[in-house]
Amino acid sequence: MSGAVEAFHFLRPWWLLALPAVALLWWWLRPRRAGAAEALADSIAPHLAAALRTGAGRRRRIHPLDLVMVTGLLLGLAAAGPTWSRLPDPLVADTAPLVVALKVTDSMLADDLAPSRLDRARFKILDLIEARAGARTALVAYAGSAHRVAPLTEDPNILRPLLEGLKPQVMPQAGDNPAAAVDLAAEILGDEAGAVLLVLDDVDPSAVPALEDPPVPVLILLAAPDGTGLPQLSGLPVIPLAHDGRDITRIERQLRAAQAAALRDDDRLQWNDRAWWLAWPVALLTLLWFRRGWTMRWRMALLAGLLAPLLGPGQARADGLADWFWTPDQQGQRAETSRDFARAATLYADPYRKAYAMTRAGQYEEAIDILDKLDTPDAAFLQGLAEIRFRRYRPAVRSFETALERRPGWAEAERNLEVAKAIVEYVETTQEQSDTGEDRGIGADDTVFDNETQKGAETQVEQPSEGEAGMPTAEQWMQSIDTDMGDFLKSRFRFDLSESGS
C-alpha cells in the first residue's frame, strides 16, 4: 500500500486547474438565506417578518447545487487521470513468475503433518501450480546447498515427477541454507518481476541475517503444525500451510503485490488510468437528484450541463452503456483479465494489444497481419511468437531478428531466436531423413525423393500418429526411461556441487 501511495500521481494534471474554478462558482451560486431574512426584516413590520420566517429552524443544509458542484469536482479529478500502477506487459503471464524453493531435510520427514511435512508440502506446491495455470513456476531444492530442479515452466506435468523424486537422501550436503536458495532463485528470475516462495518448517538462526535484505521478494509457506511460528523472520510474510485454499489465495495476493511494485519502475509500460473509478460516486450522486423536492433552477441545470462535458475525459464514447465509463482499451483489459481473449480482441483500439489478444485467442493469422504493420520491437517479438504457434518457423526467425535489430541485446528475443532456429533445423532435418529413408531403414531398391533442392521451403508433412511404425507410444516412451527420479536428481545435484567448487 505504501508503494501505491508513493506512485500516486495524475496523468493530465492541468485538469486540476478546473477545481478552483468549480469551487469559486459553487461559493458564488450557493443560496444565502440569512441575508435574505435580514433584508425582509428591514422592509416590513417585525411581527409580520417573524410570521413569514416560520420554519426557518428547519433550514436545508444540502442543496441540489451542492450535488452538481461535487459532481463537477469529481469529474475534474477523473479528467486529470489519477493513477498509481502500470498496465501489465501483455507478453508477461497474468501473474508474476515464481520460484518455489523446497527445503529437503530430515526434519521435513516428521509425521506431525500427515503423511509427512515433505509430502504435505509437495501436495500444496502442486495445488499452487494448478491454481497458477498459465503462469510460470520454477523449482529449487535446498538443504546445506541449493540446486535448480526445474526452470520456469507453465506445465505442471514437468514438475510433478521431479517433486516426487526429492528426498533428503538426494541432497549432497546436509544443513539448512535458505539464503543459497534465494540467491539461486534470483539468478533464475533475472530481470523479471517475480518472487521466491520458501517452503520450509523452520529456519536456522544463523541464516536469518542473510534473509533480512533479499535480492528478490521472499514469501514463506510454513509446513509445520498449527501454532508453530517463525518469530525470527518477522520482517517477511509467513503464510501457514492450510487444509483448504486460503494459503494459496494469500500467496497469489502477495505475488500480485510484488509484481505491481516491480512494474512501477518499468518506464516502458503505460500507467493504468483509474479515472473510471470516479464514475461510481458520480452515478450515486446523480441518483439523489430524483429525491422529492430536490429541484434546481433552469439556469443552474444549464450550467451543469455545460460543465460536465468540459470536465469529462475527451476519449469517452456513447456507443453503449460501458462506453460512458470505460475507454475501448480499458474494456479490452477487463475482458483480458477475465481471460475472454476473443472478446478483448474486438474491444481493443490499440493495435498491439488487439494483436496480443488475438494471439491468445488462437487467431494467429489475423494477429500477424496487424503486427506486420507495426514498427516496434515488441510488435516484431509478438509476431515471432504468433508465427511459431501458426507453424511458420522461418518467418518467426526473421521476426525475432527484426526485434533484435530494433532493440539490440534483448535477451528474450535472443533466446526465442535460438529456439526458432533449432525448430527450423529439426524440421528440415526430419524432412530430409523422411525423404531419404534414413529413419525408416529404406533399402537401396526402394523409391525415395530428394528434398535437398527445396530445403527451407514451406511444406506440409503428415506426421505419423502414435503407435504407427517407427513412432513409439507415449507409454512406451515413458517405460524406456529410468523411472527412479531420485537417482537422477542425486547425481545431478552432486555434479552441480562439484562444478561450483563447494
Side-chain angles (χ1 to χ4, degrees), residues 370-390:
I370 295 176
L371 294 168
D372 195 45
K373 301 175 183 177
L374 305 179
D375 57 357
T376 63
D378 292 326
F381 183 85
L382 181 58
Q383 183 175 347
L385 295 179
E387 286 169 337
I388 283 182
R389 295 181 180 180
F390 198 49

Side-chain angles (χ1 to χ4, degrees), residues 86-90 263 266-271:
R86 293 186 184 269
L87 288 171
D89 188 346
L263 292 179
D266 192 345
D267 295 334
R268 297 174 299 174
L269 301 178
Q270 297 180 357
W271 288 97

Side-chain angles (χ1 to χ4, degrees), residues 419-439:
V419 172
K421 288 182 176 178
I423 293 175
V424 170
E425 182 179 358
Y426 173 78
V427 170
E428 292 177 351
T429 302
T430 303
Q431 289 176 356
E432 287 183 2
Q433 292 177 350
S434 177
D435 291 340
T436 59
E438 294 179 6
D439 60 338

Side-chain angles (χ1 to χ4, degrees), residues 28 43 73 103 121 156 178 211 244 269 279 283 306 310 342 346 350 354 361 367 372 418 420 440 482:
W28 178 54
S43 302
L73 293 175
K103 180 180 178 181
L211 295 176
D244 49 18
L269 301 178
L306 294 175
L310 293 177
T346 63
D350 182 82
K354 177 186 288 288
D372 195 45
E418 294 177 1
R440 297 293 182 91
D482 183 9

Side-chain angles (χ1 to χ4, degrees), residues 313 315-331 347:
Q315 300 295 329
R317 302 183 307 169
D319 297 340
L321 182 60
D323 297 319
W324 293 359
F325 303 101
W326 297 287
T327 65
D329 287 340
Q330 288 172 338
Q331 296 179 49
L347 293 172

